Amino acid sequence: MIARRSWTDAIPHLVLILGVAVFAFPIYVALVGSTWDAGTIGRGRLPLVPGPDGWANYDQALFGDRGGRISYVPVSQMMWNSFVMAMVITVGKIVISLLSAYAVAFFRFPGRMVFFWMIFITLMLPVEVRIVPTFEVISDLGMVNTFAGLTVPLIASATATLLFRQFFLTIPDELVEAAKIDGAGPMRFFFDVVLPLSRTNIAALFVILFIYGWNQYLWPLLVTSTREMETIVIGITKMLGTSDAQTDWNLIMATTILALLPPVAVVIAMMRTFVKGLVDGDK
Amino acid sequence: MQRRVIFDDKLLPYLLLFPQVAVTLVFFIWPALQAVWQSTQLQDVFGLSTQFVWFENYTAVLTDPGYVGSIRVTAIFAASVTGLSMGLALLFAVMADANIRGREAYQALLIWPYALAPAVAAVLWLFIFHPQIGMVGRTLNQAGVPWDYKLNNGQALSLVILASAWKQVSYNFIFFLAALQSIPKSVIEAAAIDGAGPRRRFFTIQFPLIAPTSFFLLIVNVTYAFFDTFGVIHALTQGGPGTATSTLIYNVYKAGMVAQDLGGSAAQSVILMAFVIALTAVQFRFVERRVHYG
């Protein structure tokens, strides 16, 4: 047992409380901002306590443009777009990574290492370094302003494939042998043994990838140009416009809160799985 | 590495690999090759004809004072974001690792910002630091400190650094805390019995043992500062005022999508690609090293 002195014990509490406050403060201000009218905020007199207009602000942001200074796409539509994008990316990444990791780990075939390296190399080619040519491919394929264009180019995943492959290599040989003796084919083995064993890994990846998908910025900015396809994160910055005092700050703050709610909820609900998955998976 | 017992279907593995390989070829490999090819091409102003110009685009990019300036901006930006977010995260992790009450609660309260989009973090800080309506921005101006991130280069850069670093602290915190908690308590207790104080214990035991994690985080944070912060800059400053917050990645976007300078944008892309490849190589050398540390 390490000797404890009461005054040194207080330091960690102080530092951590300060830290938590620094992290919570911007969110608190945004929450307060989303409950006052645009005029109060525009005059630069935002109080530190919630105001009376919260209900009206969220209603207006979510469902329509009744009386706003500029008309927006309803945020409920943006949230739906973000949700579809996040879910397709998440499920897509998990499915195709499971399949390709299974192929690389459980079979031996000509070209195995070539494919493995081809997948690995995508780690070095984030969308940010090939903006223009990737956009050209999408527009040649007629995928601009579609959910397919928004999601398919992002569902290749080297990290998820490497993670699953690593895990598959730890599945005991005896299990495979037993399955073979019992006459189970590779797909039966995949669905009855490998998939159930991968449950924890899949859950952790789900959290990480859902956040990744929901928070995409550059790609939706390039691939969507119609307002109906806007995701919520892009929608907020479009609302900012010139961001002067005349901006509808109350609606922007309500939208900001709505944009951060789903991913934060997922993290909080699955905190343990997520932390373990993140640390074990190294990204 | 290979399993001993395997299935021996001939066609099935190719079918299993097909979706991943198809997406990789169409949306990763092909565009990357295109970028390399385009970077050697010069398009006339009407986009009617192109000409092979060897490395002319590269010399044009690398001798452009704007590009050299954005290398400087990116270096300052990446160093500040990495230093700030890793430093704060380490401080919080050391404090949360101490034997105190309510540790779990603190952990939970520090982890959730991981879920925020960089652009959302930018908007949150903008609302506080806005020169007219922001709580802090307005107060500064009223107190006689001229604050306007849209006019002042240094202030613009500070604000994007602040928002980017703030969002990244929780990620670093998760890893630092995990690393600290994997150090056997007996080692630290032995040092305490030998009379080493908390500071000495940190620098002689904990800090060296979390060095591999720190190195891993260094790479991840530099990558984050280079690429993922595009949203922060696009939402807050659009690279301005002037080019004060134009990082390399923002430049690629501007050259390619706004100015339509395909050759120049492609050359910038290839330069960045080389940088990512180098980073990844370093990262994987490190993964090997990590094995020895357990």
Side-chain angles (χ1 to χ4, degrees):
Chain A
M1 193 60 211
I2 296 167
R4 302 173 75 162
R5 282 159 291 182
S6 55
W7 63 271
T8 42
D9 249 24
I11 294 175
H13 284 292
L14 273 177
V15 173
L16 289 171
I17 289 170
L18 211 65
V20 169
V22 168
F23 276 100
F25 182 64
I27 307 279
Y28 178 73
V29 176
L31 258 172
V32 171
S34 71
T35 60
W36 288 92
D37 59 304
T40 308
I41 305 171
R43 282 191 297 277
R45 303 223 172 279
L46 182 68
L48 267 175
V49 286
D53 301 315
W55 185 256
N57 288 342
Y58 281 95
D59 183 46
Q60 188 182 336
L62 270 173
F63 301 112
D65 42 17
R66 295 186 289 274
R69 290 188 179 114
I70 311 159
S71 63
Y72 311 119
V73 188
V75 172
S76 51
Q77 163 102 46
M78 295 180 189
M79 289 182 87
W80 171 250
N81 293 343
S82 287
F83 178 76
V84 173
M85 174 176 74
M87 284 307 281
V88 174
I89 290 177
T90 306
V91 175
K93 265 185 191 272
I94 290 175
V95 169
I96 74 172
S97 303
L98 272 171
L99 293 179
S100 48
Y102 188 62
V104 174
F106 283 92
F107 297 87
R108 206 168 300 165
F109 53 94
R112 195 175 69 99
M113 284 323 275
V114 175
F115 287 120
F116 182 72
W117 281 105
M118 192 190 285
I119 294 166
F120 180 80
I121 229 168
T122 58
L123 270 184
M124 305 180 187
L125 303 170
V127 78
E128 286 84 355
V129 307
R130 48 189 170 79
I131 295 175
V132 179
T134 316
F135 177 74
E136 279 172 356
V137 172
I138 290 294
S139 81
D140 287 346
L141 294 173
M143 287 161 79
V144 176
N145 283 320
T146 63
F147 277 115
L150 210 47
T151 54
V152 175
L154 298 178
I155 66 174
S157 177
T159 30
T161 308
L162 294 174
L163 189 80
F164 282 129
R165 174 183 165 272
Q166 203 75 4
F167 172 67
F168 290 167
L169 292 176
T170 66
I171 293 177
D173 282 330
E174 288 73 16
L175 272 181
V176 189
E177 270 163 358
K180 283 175 129 178
I181 291 167
D182 287 349
M187 285 329 280
R188 181 86 194 265
F189 183 73
F190 178 76
F191 284 110
D192 288 358
V193 179
V194 173
L195 217 47
L197 283 175
S198 313
R199 256 199 322 247
T200 348
N201 281 315
I202 293 175
L205 261 180
F206 183 90
V207 183
I208 295 166
L209 294 177
F210 182 82
I211 293 166
Y212 165 88
W214 182 275
N215 289 345
Q216 279 302 311
Y217 192 87
L218 178 60
W219 190 241
L221 184 69
L222 299 177
V223 180
T224 62
S225 55
T226 61
R227 300 207 347 226
E228 289 68 37
M229 284 300 294
E230 243 165 45
T231 62
I232 188 162
V233 182
I234 299 290
I236 296 172
T237 39
K238 291 263 171 77
M239 282 182 180
L240 277 180
T242 52
S243 73
D244 53 18
Q246 297 301 309
T247 312
D248 284 325
W249 285 103
N250 55 338
L251 299 186
I252 293 182
M253 286 304 121
T255 311
T256 305
I257 296 293
L258 290 168
L260 60 83
L261 221 50
V264 168
V266 169
V267 163
I268 290 174
M270 298 175 73
M271 183 85 75
R272 260 168 217 283
T273 323
F274 153 72
V275 170
K276 198 177 165 320
L278 194 67
V279 175
D280 290 350
D282 264 358
K283 210 183 173 181
Chain B
M1 245 189 297
Q2 169 74 56
R3 307 185 56 88
R4 195 167 47 77
V5 184
I6 48 158
F7 293 104
D8 24 52
D9 291 58
K10 292 284 167 277
L11 183 64
L12 188 62
Y14 295 104
L15 291 177
L16 291 171
L17 274 168
F18 178 75
Q20 175 96 284
V21 169
V23 173
T24 303
L25 279 177
V26 175
F27 297 110
F28 284 77
I29 310 275
W30 169 251
L33 294 176
Q34 277 282 306
V36 175
W37 172 244
Q38 277 172 1
S39 72
T40 63
Q41 302 285 308
L42 190 65
Q43 207 169 30
D44 69 33
V45 278
F46 305 107
L48 295 175
S49 65
T50 49
Q51 195 189 346
F52 184 75
V53 292
W54 291 100
F55 301 110
E56 221 169 82
N57 287 319
Y58 290 93
T59 27
V61 164
L62 289 172
T63 53
D64 172 14
Y67 190 79
V68 177
S70 90
I71 295 179
R72 214 186 114 249
V73 169
T74 313
I76 297 172
F77 177 76
S80 312
V81 170
T82 305
L84 206 58
S85 65
M86 281 181 72
L88 276 177
L90 182 58
L91 175 69
F92 293 153
V94 169
M95 294 301 158
D97 185 50
N99 223 343
I100 56 167
R101 276 158 173 238
R103 197 169 62 192
E104 300 255 310
Y106 286 125
Q107 257 170 264
L109 287 169
L110 284 169
I111 283 174
W112 60 266
Y114 170 85
L116 298 185
V120 167
V123 176
L124 290 174
W125 283 100
L126 169 65
F127 193 54
I128 292 172
F129 279 98
H130 192 283
Q132 282 92 44
I133 63 123
M135 228 170 246
V136 177
R138 186 181 156 88
T139 313
L140 281 174
N141 278 319
Q142 279 175 341
V145 185
W147 165 270
D148 193 341
Y149 72 98
K150 278 188 192 161
L151 301 174
N152 184 306
N153 293 359
Q155 291 175 357
L157 193 56
S158 314
L159 191 56
V160 289
I161 288 172
L162 180 69
S164 309
W166 176 79
K167 186 238 158 324
Q168 188 67 359
V169 169
S170 52
Y171 182 92
N172 296 334
F173 172 78
I174 295 168
F175 278 88
F176 274 135
L177 188 60
L180 285 170
Q181 294 193 327
S182 70
I183 300 172
K185 288 283 166 282
S186 54
V187 179
I188 295 168
E189 278 166 17
I193 290 167
D194 287 349
R199 181 191 294 266
R200 177 105 191 254
R201 292 201 295 267
F202 176 74
F203 283 108
T204 55
I205 302 170
Q206 289 166 314
F207 193 71
L209 282 172
I210 60 168
T213 303
S214 313
F215 187 69
F216 161 77
L217 285 177
L218 185 69
I219 305 258
V220 172
N221 278 274
V222 170
T223 316
Y224 164 80
F226 263 75
F227 300 108
D228 299 339
T229 53
F230 175 84
V232 176
I233 292 163
H234 188 258
L236 265 186
T237 62
Q238 309 259 314
T243 54
T245 53
S246 289
T247 55
L248 291 172
I249 192 69
Y250 196 80
N251 261 355
V252 177
Y253 167 77
K254 217 164 48 179
M257 302 309 289
V258 185
Q260 303 275 328
D261 169 17
L262 295 186
S265 172
Q268 293 185 25
S269 290
V270 175
I271 294 171
L272 273 179
M273 250 184 252
F275 178 76
V276 186
I277 289 170
L279 265 187
T280 317
V282 173
Q283 182 174 351
F284 274 82
R285 267 199 64 83
F286 154 72
V287 169
E288 271 168 45
R289 258 184 46 195
R290 203 176 117 95
V291 176
H292 301 298
Y293 283 93

